[in-house]
Amino acid sequence: MKILSFDTSNNLASVAIMDNDELLAYNTTETSSQQAEKLFFLIEECLSLSKLKLSDIDLISVTNGPGSFTGVRIGLAAALGLKMGSKTQVISLSNFQVLAYHALK
């Protein structure tokens, strides 16, 4: 299953693409507070690095906080926009869920 994940809830935006347990691509902004300006560039770059198109993605995951309200809003709006354009399923995860998953691994 190919998953496009991104987090904009903190000062930096990060994007990753995984295929099952294999990390295909990862990118993050280098300067803070530029989530809105850089998110789609990061997504396009990760898709290019992984040699995938948005239509190849099976699931989009986005973090829903805790974090900055504006950052969370940017991420959720981007995920919903991608869902509308690609008909790909979207899930949202809290940063705590992501940390708990890594702690169990």
Side-chain angles (χ1 to χ4, degrees), residues 13-81:
S14 59
V15 176
I17 297 178
M18 302 221 25
D19 187 2
N20 296 317
D21 284 337
E22 180 185 357
L23 179 65
L24 299 179
Y26 172 80
N27 207 340
T28 187
T29 55
E30 295 179 8
T31 55
S32 64
S33 300
Q34 290 193 334
Q35 298 97 319
E37 293 90 347
K38 302 289 184 175
L39 179 59
F40 285 101
F41 171 76
L42 295 174
I43 291 170
E44 287 178 15
E45 195 170 81
C46 282
L47 286 169
S48 176
L49 287 171
S50 61
K51 297 179 175 72
L52 296 172
K53 297 176 282 191
L54 187 57
S55 60
D56 297 325
I57 299 297
D58 301 308
L59 181 69
I60 297 170
S61 74
V62 59
T63 55
N64 60 11
S68 84
F69 175 74
T70 301
V72 170
R73 190 177 62 194
I74 290 165
L76 292 175
L80 291 176

